[in-house]
Amino acid sequence: MDKMDSQELIKSIARESPSRIILLVIDGLGGLSAPETGKTELETAKTPNLDRLAAEGICGLSEPVSPGITPGSAPGHLALFGYDPVRYNIGRGVLEAVGVDLPVGPDDVVARGNFCTVDEAGLVTDRRAGRISNEKCAELCRLLDGQVIDGVEVIVRPVREHRFVAIFRGKGLSDRVSDSDPQQVGLSPLPVTASEPEAKKMASVANRFIAGVKAALAGHVPANMVLLRGFSRKPGFPSMNEIYKLKAAAIAGYPMYRGLARLVGMDVLETEKGVVNKIQTLTQHYNDYNFFFLHIKGTDSAGEDGDFNRKVAVIEEVNDGLPELVSLQPDVIVVAGDHSTPALLKGHSWHPVPLLVYSKWCRPDGVKEFSESACVQGGLGRIPATQIMPLAMANALKVNKFGA
Amino acid sequence: MDKMDSQELIKSIARESPSRIILLVIDGLGGLSAPETGKTELETAKTPNLDRLAAEGICGLSEPVSPGITPGSAPGHLALFGYDPVRYNIGRGVLEAVGVDLPVGPDDVVARGNFCTVDEAGLVTDRRAGRISNEKCAELCRLLDGQVIDGVEVIVRPVREHRFVAIFRGKGLSDRVSDSDPQQVGLSPLPVTASEPEAKKMASVANRFIAGVKAALAGHVPANMVLLRGFSRKPGFPSMNEIYKLKAAAIAGYPMYRGLARLVGMDVLETEKGVVNKIQTLTQHYNDYNFFFLHIKGTDSAGEDGDFNRKVAVIEEVNDGLPELVSLQPDVIVVAGDHSTPALLKGHSWHPVPLLVYSKWCRPDGVKEFSESACVQGGLGRIPATQIMPLAMANALKVNKFGA
C-alpha cells in the first residue's frame, strides 16, 4: 500500500474557512553566538514584542531539510510552504528566471546563460566574459532578445554581470536537453542534444539560437559567445490553494521570493522597501486573503555580509512592527526562518531555526523569550519545517479530523 | 519523482576538505540508573573532561534505529556511519566472517555453520553438538578446510564452541540459496536449494560439501554433521569515501568492528588493547586521515556482564584520554554510542544514547555535563543516529549548500 506523504495527508483533510494565518518569515533568522557575549543576533536584539508572543504562544526549532544540511533559499522556502524540499526540485533555469521576476509560462523552457569569451578557434577562454558590467549585459540581451526560431520565441533578459536568462516560448518543447556549457575553458561550447525524442525540437532551436548569437556577438569581445545550461520547465507543483484551500498572498520585495511564491500559486502583492511598508501592504489587503507570507530579507543579507549588528537591527525593526500585525487579530501568527544565516559564518548554515506559533489554541509552553536557546526547550520540540504549515492550519481550525 | 534519502542527499553535496573529524564511539554508552543512587553508569563516572566538552559543545540523544528497537552491533554501527540500518542489511554469513576478522572477497559466498549431532537415521538430535569446546571446533574446521569442489575453494574457520564460518570462493556463485539447517531437532538436514537459476552451482557445491563433511565427521560424535545457514555475499555498500569524500581510518580492537569498518571502506589501523593505546594509534596516524572512528569496547562488555562499576571505570578511562584527543585540535569531535547497554539489563537496550558534538560552529546549548538526564535537554534534541554523520560533516564545513 502506498503511503500518503504529509502533504497529501493535509490536502485530504484541509477545509476552507475564513480564519487567517500570517507566516512571518525572517530570512536567515537563526544565528551563532558572538564570542564576546555568548549571545546570538536574535538573543542580542531587544525584542519585547517577539518575546511576549513567545510567552503567549508555543516555540520550538525547525529543521529546514535535515540535520547538517544547509539549504539554499528555494528549498528553505519550499519547506516553509509545506513542500518537501528534497522531492520538489526547481530547475536551475526556472529558478534564475524567478530570481529576476520573469513570469514562466506552462510551455516555456528556461535556460541559464553566461556570456563568455571564445578564441579564434572557437575554444572558451573565459566562461564569464571578464564579468562584464550589468549595463553591458543588459545591452547585449537587448541585441539577442525577441528572435523567433521555428515558431519559438526566445526571450533574453539580463540577470547580473555575465549572467542572463533565455526563455524559449512555444509549443512542443521538452527540457530534457543537455547543456552547451562545457564547464571548463579550453573546450568548444557543446552542441545541445536531446535526451529523449520529444526534445529534438528544443535541441534544434537552442543550437540555431546559439549559432545566431555567435554571429551577432562576433564584434563584442570579451562577450563574443554564450553558454547555456539548466534547461528546465516550470515545475508542476500543486498550488497552496489546492493543498490547503487557502487564498494566499505574498508580500516580499526580492524577486526570488516573489517568484517562489508565484510557483506555489500565491498572489504576489506590490509593496515597498522596508519592514514598515510590508506590514502596511499586509494591512491594506487583510480582508482579501486568508493567508499571508510576509518576507523580511534584511536579516539574511546582513548575515551574509557578516554584519552582526545590522542583523540585530533588522530583527528589532521586525519586533517593532509586530504589534500592528497582532492588532489585526489573525487567528494564527507563525514567526519562522527559512534557514540560519549566522553573521559569524557569513552565509547560510545548517543550524535549526527558532520557530513560534501564536494562536488561541496553541498550548503555550514555558518559553518566555524568542531565542535559539529558549526555543530548544520549547513545546514544539524540533520539527521539520514542512510540518509548520499543517500546524498553522490546525491552529486556524482549518483541518478536519483524520479518519473516523 | 523519486526522493533522495538522506545519504544520497549528503553524498550529492559533500565536499573534500582537510578538516578532521573524530568519531569516538563508546560502545553501549547509555545506561539505566542504579536503584541505590538514581544515577546511570555515565552519571556515576567522574568525567570532568567529557563534561567540559559537553559544556562547550552541543548535546542530545541519538536513536540508533527507532524508539523501542534494540540494535545489534552491526545496525548500531552502520547507523553511526550514516547507513540506514534497516535498509542496509549485512547477511548473517558475512557478519559471522567479519566478526572473526576474515576478509570476504567480492565473489565469495559465506555461510554460518553449526556442528551438530545426527542419529543413525540422519535426524538432528542436537543442533549445537553439545556446544563442543573452541579447541574441538578449531580441530574439526582444520579437517574440513581447503577442499576444492567444482573449482570452488571452501574455507572453513572456527568462531566459538559449535559455530564456524564457511567461505565458498570461486566464480559464478550466487547467495540466493536456502539453508540446510532445519531449525529443529528430529528432522534431517535439508538439501540446499537454488532460489534462482544462477544459484544452481552454489547449491550443488554446498550439497557436495555437506555430503563430504558427513563422511569426514562420521567418527566425531557428537559433532558428526554440520548445518549451514545465512548464505550471503559482501554487501555492495557505497564506501564512506564515496559518500562523504573522507579518508577514513578505524581504530578498533575487536574483529567485528574492524570488519564493519572495512565493509564501509575504512582503513583499519593496527592497535593494541586499552583506551590509552587506541588514542596513541590515532595520534600517530593523525596526519594520514581526515576521519577517525575510534571504538571503545569495554563499556559494552561490562554492561553485558551486568558489571555497573566496571562500566563506570571504563567511562572514566575514556574521560582521562580525552585531553589528548582535544589537544590534536580536530575540527569536530563526536562522542556517541552505538546503543545503550545498561548493566541492569545485562544486554543491549532500546534506550536512546547520549550524544555530544564539539566544534567551533556547533551552537552550544545549556548542557553542562555529559549524561543521559542532561542530554535530554540538549540542543540537538533526539535525532536518528544516521544523522550524526551529516551533522559532523556540516560542523567540519565539508558540505555544500543544498539547492540555490
Side-chain angles (χ1 to χ4, degrees):
Chain A
M1 185 164 24
D2 276 345
K3 193 179 159 184
M4 278 194 287
D5 72 9
S6 66
Q7 198 181 55
E8 290 162 338
L9 178 58
I10 189 84
K11 183 178 172 185
S12 71
I13 50 178
R15 67 162 173 249
E16 206 175 343
S17 89
S19 63
R20 284 189 175 76
I21 299 169
I22 295 176
L23 172 64
L24 169 59
V25 177
I26 307 177
D27 203 306
L29 172 61
L32 285 172
S33 305
E36 315 85 58
T37 62
K39 289 186 171 185
T40 66
E41 299 90 326
L42 180 58
E43 289 162 6
T44 305
K46 288 188 184 50
T47 55
N49 300 321
L50 277 165
D51 295 344
R52 194 168 56 243
L53 230 59
E56 294 175 17
I58 184 166
C59 290
L61 291 167
S62 73
E63 195 77 78
V65 181
S66 55
I69 305 300
T70 296
S73 298
H77 274 82
L78 285 178
L80 289 178
F81 301 153
Y83 296 72
D84 181 338
V86 178
R87 185 173 160 201
Y88 288 99
N89 191 21
I90 304 175
R92 289 298 176 134
V94 170
L95 205 59
E96 195 84 328
V98 155
V100 291
D101 228 350
L102 278 178
V104 178
D107 295 326
D108 296 355
V109 172
V110 191
R112 300 173 75 176
N114 275 14
F115 288 102
C116 71
T117 315
V118 292
D119 63 15
E120 283 171 11
L123 306 181
V124 177
T125 58
D126 183 346
R127 288 183 59 250
R128 298 181 183 83
R131 293 191 182 276
I132 51 171
S133 68
N134 295 348
E135 295 68 31
K136 188 73 189 169
C137 182
E139 178 196 324
L140 294 174
C141 286
R142 279 192 299 274
L143 191 69
L144 305 180
D145 183 46
Q147 301 172 56
V148 178
I149 302 169
D150 198 6
V152 176
E153 186 187 358
V154 188
I155 299 149
V156 181
R157 292 285 185 279
V159 175
R160 205 171 45 179
E161 298 177 340
H162 55 286
R163 285 160 54 196
F164 66 89
V165 173
I167 301 182
F168 296 88
R169 182 162 292 165
K171 293 288 174 194
L173 299 180
S174 156
D175 61 357
R176 305 273 295 143
V177 296
S178 65
D179 296 348
S180 81
D181 186 344
Q183 293 287 349
Q184 48 179 306
V185 296
L187 299 176
S188 297
L190 303 168
V192 174
T193 58
S195 310
E196 59 177 25
E198 296 73 22
K200 281 185 181 163
K201 179 173 176 182
M202 180 66 250
S204 142
V205 169
N207 287 322
R208 286 172 60 188
F209 170 73
I210 292 168
V213 165
K214 193 175 181 182
L217 294 182
H220 292 271
V221 175
N224 64 346
M225 187 48 171
V226 296
L227 301 172
L228 299 181
R229 59 199 158 103
F231 287 86
S232 45
R233 300 181 66 138
K234 186 172 171 172
F237 293 0
S239 72
M240 288 188 71
N241 176 265
E242 287 172 71
I243 300 164
Y244 306 113
K245 300 188 177 66
L246 290 171
K247 191 158 166 26
I251 301 156
Y254 275 59
M256 163 72 90
Y257 310 95
R258 300 167 64 85
L260 285 170
R262 226 176 257 125
L263 283 179
V264 295
M266 294 190 213
D267 283 357
V268 176
L269 305 181
E270 286 308 311
T271 188
E272 302 288 324
K273 276 198 170 185
V275 176
V276 173
N277 286 322
K278 289 196 175 54
I279 292 177
Q280 200 175 22
T281 302
L282 192 153
T283 304
Q284 284 161 356
H285 291 84
Y286 190 67
N287 291 322
D288 308 331
Y289 298 92
N290 59 3
F291 177 86
F292 298 89
F293 156 51
L294 177 56
H295 183 255
I296 307 298
K297 176 69 179 170
T299 31
D300 179 59
S301 312
E304 294 257 12
D305 292 346
D307 192 335
F308 192 98
N309 293 334
R310 201 172 93 230
K311 190 171 165 191
V312 170
V314 180
I315 293 170
E316 292 181 345
E317 237 185 297
V318 175
N319 172 77
D320 296 346
L322 209 55
E324 190 172 338
L325 293 181
V326 175
S327 73
L328 294 167
Q329 299 187 284
D331 299 81
V332 180
I333 298 178
V334 176
V335 185
D338 53 340
H339 51 73
S340 293
T341 307
L344 267 72
L345 278 170
K346 294 188 181 180
H348 295 191
S349 81
W350 63 91
H351 301 90
V353 190
L355 171 66
L356 189 171
V357 176
Y358 170 81
S359 93
K360 193 174 168 185
W361 309 114
C362 66
R363 192 197 276 169
D365 49 19
V367 173
K368 303 282 179 234
E369 66 169 54
F370 192 50
S371 73
E372 286 84 351
S373 355
C375 285
V376 168
Q377 309 299 331
L380 290 176
R382 182 166 166 159
I383 61 169
T386 48
Q387 297 180 346
I388 295 174
M389 274 302 298
L391 261 179
M393 291 284 293
N395 275 278
L397 306 183
K398 284 179 186 294
V399 192
N400 293 323
K401 189 158 67 176
F402 172 66
Chain B
M1 185 163 24
D2 274 345
K3 194 183 158 178
M4 280 193 284
D5 71 11
S6 66
Q7 197 180 54
E8 290 164 336
L9 177 58
I10 189 84
K11 183 178 170 182
S12 71
I13 51 180
R15 68 164 172 247
E16 206 175 342
S17 89
S19 62
R20 284 190 174 76
I21 299 170
I22 294 177
L23 172 64
L24 170 59
V25 176
I26 307 177
D27 202 306
L29 173 60
L32 285 172
S33 306
E36 315 84 61
T37 64
K39 289 186 173 184
T40 66
E41 299 90 325
L42 180 59
E43 289 161 6
T44 304
K46 287 188 184 46
T47 55
N49 300 320
L50 277 165
D51 294 345
R52 194 168 57 243
L53 229 60
E56 293 175 18
I58 183 167
C59 291
L61 290 168
S62 73
E63 196 75 77
V65 181
S66 54
I69 305 301
T70 297
S73 297
H77 275 81
L78 285 177
L80 288 178
F81 302 153
Y83 296 72
D84 181 340
V86 178
R87 181 174 161 203
Y88 287 99
N89 192 19
I90 304 175
R92 286 303 176 131
V94 171
L95 204 59
E96 197 83 328
V98 156
V100 290
D101 227 350
L102 278 179
V104 177
D107 295 327
D108 295 354
V109 172
V110 190
R112 301 173 74 177
N114 275 14
F115 287 103
C116 71
T117 315
V118 292
D119 63 17
E120 283 171 13
L123 306 181
V124 177
T125 57
D126 182 347
R127 286 184 61 251
R128 297 180 184 84
R131 292 191 184 274
I132 52 171
S133 68
N134 294 348
E135 294 68 31
K136 187 72 190 171
C137 182
E139 177 197 323
L140 294 175
C141 285
R142 278 193 298 276
L143 190 70
L144 305 180
D145 183 46
Q147 301 172 56
V148 178
I149 302 168
D150 199 5
V152 176
E153 187 189 355
V154 189
I155 298 150
V156 182
R157 291 284 185 280
V159 176
R160 206 171 45 178
E161 297 178 340
H162 55 285
R163 285 160 54 196
F164 67 90
V165 172
I167 301 183
F168 297 87
R169 182 163 291 164
K171 294 286 174 194
L173 299 179
S174 155
D175 61 357
R176 305 273 293 143
V177 295
S178 65
D179 296 348
S180 81
D181 187 344
Q183 295 287 348
Q184 47 179 303
V185 297
L187 299 176
S188 296
L190 303 167
V192 174
T193 58
S195 308
E196 59 179 22
E198 296 72 21
K200 281 186 182 163
K201 179 174 177 182
M202 180 67 250
S204 142
V205 169
N207 287 323
R208 285 172 60 188
F209 170 73
I210 293 168
V213 165
K214 193 174 180 181
L217 294 182
H220 292 271
V221 175
N224 65 346
M225 186 48 171
V226 295
L227 301 173
L228 299 181
R229 60 201 158 102
F231 288 85
S232 46
R233 300 180 67 137
K234 189 173 171 169
F237 293 180
S239 72
M240 288 189 72
N241 177 266
E242 287 172 70
I243 300 164
Y244 306 114
K245 301 189 177 65
L246 290 171
K247 192 158 165 26
I251 301 158
Y254 274 59
M256 163 73 89
Y257 309 96
R258 299 167 65 86
L260 285 170
R262 228 177 256 125
L263 283 179
V264 296
M266 293 191 213
D267 283 357
V268 176
L269 306 181
E270 285 309 309
T271 189
E272 303 287 324
K273 275 200 170 185
V275 175
V276 173
N277 286 321
K278 290 196 175 53
I279 292 176
Q280 200 176 20
T281 302
L282 192 154
T283 304
Q284 284 162 354
H285 292 84
Y286 189 68
N287 291 322
D288 308 332
Y289 298 92
N290 59 5
F291 177 87
F292 298 90
F293 156 51
L294 177 55
H295 183 256
I296 307 296
K297 176 68 180 171
T299 32
D300 180 58
S301 313
E304 295 256 13
D305 292 347
D307 191 336
F308 192 98
N309 292 335
R310 200 171 92 230
K311 190 171 164 190
V312 169
V314 180
I315 293 170
E316 292 181 346
E317 236 185 299
V318 174
N319 172 76
D320 295 345
L322 207 56
E324 189 172 338
L325 293 182
V326 175
S327 73
L328 294 168
Q329 299 187 285
D331 299 81
V332 179
I333 298 177
V334 176
V335 185
D338 54 339
H339 51 72
S340 294
T341 308
L344 267 71
L345 279 171
K346 295 190 179 179
H348 295 193
S349 80
W350 63 92
H351 303 90
V353 189
L355 171 67
L356 189 171
V357 175
Y358 169 80
S359 96
K360 194 174 168 185
W361 307 115
C362 66
R363 193 196 273 169
D365 48 19
V367 173
K368 303 284 179 232
E369 67 168 52
F370 192 52
S371 72
E372 286 84 350
S373 355
C375 285
V376 168
Q377 309 295 332
L380 289 176
R382 182 166 165 156
I383 61 169
T386 48
Q387 296 181 345
I388 294 174
M389 274 303 297
L391 259 181
M393 292 283 293
N395 275 278
L397 305 183
K398 285 180 185 292
V399 191
N400 292 323
K401 192 158 67 175
F402 171 65

